[in-house]
Amino acid sequence: IMSKNKSRESVKVVVRCRPLNRKEEPNGPAGGIVQMDLRLGQVILRNPRAPPSEPQKTFTFDAVYDANSKQRDLYDESVRPLIDSVLAGFNGTIFAYGQTGTGKTYTMQGVWLDPEKRGVIPNAFDHIFTHISRSQSDKQYLVRASYLEIYREEIRDLLDPNHGSARGLELRESPETGVYVQDLTSCVCKSLKEIEEVMNVGNQARAVGATDMNEHSSRSHALFLITVECSQPGPDGRKHIRVGRLNLVDLAGSERQTKTGVQGDRLKEAAKINLSLSALGNVISALADGRSGHVPYRDSKLTRLLQDSLGGNAKTVMVATLGPASLHYDETLTTLRYANRAKNIQNQPRVNEDPKDALLREFQKEIARLRAQLNHRRWRSKQKKDQLEGEGWERDGDEETEGEEEEVEKEAEEYMKMEEQRLEKEKEAIREDQSMLAEEKQRLLGEKEKMMGDLRKQQEAAEQLTAKYKAMESKLLVGGKNIIDHTNEQQKMLEIKRQEIAEQTRGEREMQQQMLVQDEETLELKETFTSLQQEVEAKTKKLKKLYTKLQCIKAEIKDVNDEHVRSRQELEQTQNELTRELKLKYLIIENFIPPEEKNKIMNRLTFDPEEDQWKLKSLVPAERSEVVWIFFFHLSIYV
């Protein structure tokens, strides 16, 4: 059952500009082409190749952050409200978009060990587990995490130890959950430390490489997925479950071969990265336009995974990252244009209430079943103990408090010890009885040993059941318990004040932007003239303003055309490089592979419309593959 609330909400777009790096610093501050008005949320871009008379380009966003901005400011103002929505049961997505080397990974991850430089992802982890620790004790939570990368249009599970050699995972679509990755590893996380460990394991497996623009360039798109399930009693007395899903996306940067200097495998990686980012740009353009009936989500795996985040059931924050150097003017302008278009995308977020695939409900059922089995075992043990002691005992209910459970468990353990002692005494009595025949003694001792063995098995089964029950119960987080040590009242008050300041800053910026638009409109309405000369001057001034706007639009059209020409030339250059490699492979196939072998491979090819690619059919049926593998293994040992 989904919430009826289908209110539309725009994608929130914020822009961040990094400082000049070592290579760019020799040009000095004059080399910077980006100015930011933090109060109005505006980015002013100067064209270094244009004459001074040409007007600068101005873009307005939900928030902007300059080179002096702090990680915490960006999080509190632009990301914290989204995480709160996820904890309330909404889907949420945060993704960083921009040219390679502009600080996307720094914004998303930052420096984990430095509290001042921690990025969006570690701050989001802390936010989620702090919220759980401060929530009411009648709430139960289940937190799961998955980590994947899209490398050369292949989806890899970063939490799979064999992800390097494993086959790429496939995308599937469900009416309830939308697009999902089949067989993706999901880890239950019970603390901040555990989810950070999951992230660290994935980061070690992620594809990175050096280019001329970035020493640690991301060569893949990475998605860290967090699912937060919350169960709490409703007005009807029944437990209701809300499921929030958070996608934390660190995109690889767009790059031009002429600037990055990549070759070989790095060139192929760059081609795939640019192709998927181009598909993302086409999706943003189609959604922003509003008139297009078709949105090309299926053009890449990245856009399919972000389908709900762009125009679907999610709240989305896009962080566009810029480089301030004049060398990167074209890429900076392209990023700002995409970000400006993304502001017009309308999503339809809604609360995910009582979904069918909620794992928390399955956990609760399993825990209830195990508890019932344990209670039944303890009740039987206590009943036998009371019978031995000659006391009657009636079971008056299935539900027991934690203290009662501990008491019954203690009594059951005492019963087991008493039984062991009793059996030992009986065995000793049989051994000391001189009137019994040896065969009879042996038979009775054998029976007692069997009873002792059964008792031990029963005790081991009870211990295993208890361990399983405690393991299942430990995966659920209960509100009100101290998961994080520093969640004291002072810290809570400090965070509330910080949040209030961030909301106030956000409100002031929105009011300033509205006032700027309204002032222009009001000025035109209130305009009155005392003489004909004054009217001529005012109209001339207005005409000049409109002429300037016309010149800006003409310059914009020229820029767009130039950008298309550059993009086309870059694509043609990449195409030529790849065509050359393809011709080399064709040459090798034609000269070194027999025609009959080539035909065998061609006959095995099948087209998968779901994945939109060609695949090789397996030579061996699935059920026989393991047997054949064992056969070849033994054959290799023999040889």
Side-chain angles (χ1 to χ4, degrees), residues 265-280:
D265 285 341
R266 289 281 176 268
L267 177 64
K268 292 175 187 175
E269 291 168 356
K272 291 292 185 183
I273 288 167
N274 289 340
L275 197 66
S276 61
L277 290 174
S278 176
L280 177 62

Side-chain angles (χ1 to χ4, degrees), residues 97-113:
Y97 179 92
Q99 180 197 11
T100 184
T102 52
K104 294 182 299 300
T105 301
Y106 177 78
T107 296
M108 293 302 292
Q109 299 198 28
V111 182
W112 285 66
L113 298 177

Side-chain angles (χ1 to χ4, degrees), residues 5-17:
N5 182 18
K6 289 189 178 180
S7 59
R8 288 182 171 271
E9 181 181 293
S10 298
V11 170
K12 299 288 183 292
V13 181
V14 302
V15 175
R16 188 179 199 185
C17 184

Side-chain angles (χ1 to χ4, degrees), residues 207-384:
V208 294
T211 69
D212 290 353
M213 290 183 68
N214 189 356
E215 191 179 344
H216 304 287
S217 175
S218 302
R219 311 310 297 166
S220 65
H221 307 303
L223 286 83
F224 194 90
L225 308 116
I226 304 174
T227 304
V228 182
E229 299 183 14
C230 174
S231 168
Q232 68 179 121
D236 55 359
R238 295 173 59 192
K239 286 190 175 181
H240 293 274
I241 294 176
R242 294 196 311 269
V243 180
R245 297 181 181 90
L246 177 63
N247 301 319
L248 299 160
V249 188
D250 180 14
L251 298 178
S254 59
E255 50 189 56
R256 297 187 188 276
Q257 188 204 0
T258 51
K259 290 186 178 180
T260 55
V262 292
Q263 292 177 344
D265 285 341
R266 289 281 176 268
L267 177 64
K268 292 175 187 175
E269 291 168 356
K272 291 292 185 183
I273 288 167
N274 289 340
L275 197 66
S276 61
L277 290 174
S278 176
L280 177 62
N282 292 337
V283 166
I284 289 172
S285 298
L287 289 167
D289 182 42
R291 292 173 294 180
S292 176
H294 171 67
V295 181
Y297 289 117
R298 288 183 174 269
D299 283 2
S300 80
K301 289 178 179 175
L302 174 66
T303 49
R304 283 204 72 194
L305 278 170
L306 295 178
Q307 189 167 333
D308 261 347
S309 307
L310 298 169
N313 170 28
K315 291 172 177 272
T316 303
V317 173
M318 173 182 175
V319 183
T321 56
L322 309 175
S326 56
L327 176 68
H328 308 307
Y329 170 78
D330 296 326
E331 289 83 0
T332 299
L333 181 58
T334 302
T335 300
L336 286 169
R337 284 206 181 105
Y338 276 132
N340 204 43
R341 285 180 204 147
K343 290 192 305 180
N344 300 318
I345 297 174
Q346 297 287 312
N347 287 354
Q348 294 182 356
R350 57 186 181 271
V351 175
N352 303 309
E353 291 179 325
D354 294 326
K356 294 177 184 176
D357 64 334
L359 196 62
L360 182 58
R361 187 180 288 107
E362 297 301 317
F363 273 49
Q364 287 173 337
K365 285 180 181 176
E366 181 68 10
I367 286 168
R369 186 183 68 79
L370 291 170
R371 186 189 286 125
Q373 284 187 19
L374 272 174
N375 287 344
H376 182 65
R377 279 181 175 275
R378 289 165 182 167
W379 171 73
R380 283 173 58 192
S381 299
K382 192 173 188 307
Q383 194 179 42
K384 286 177 182 176

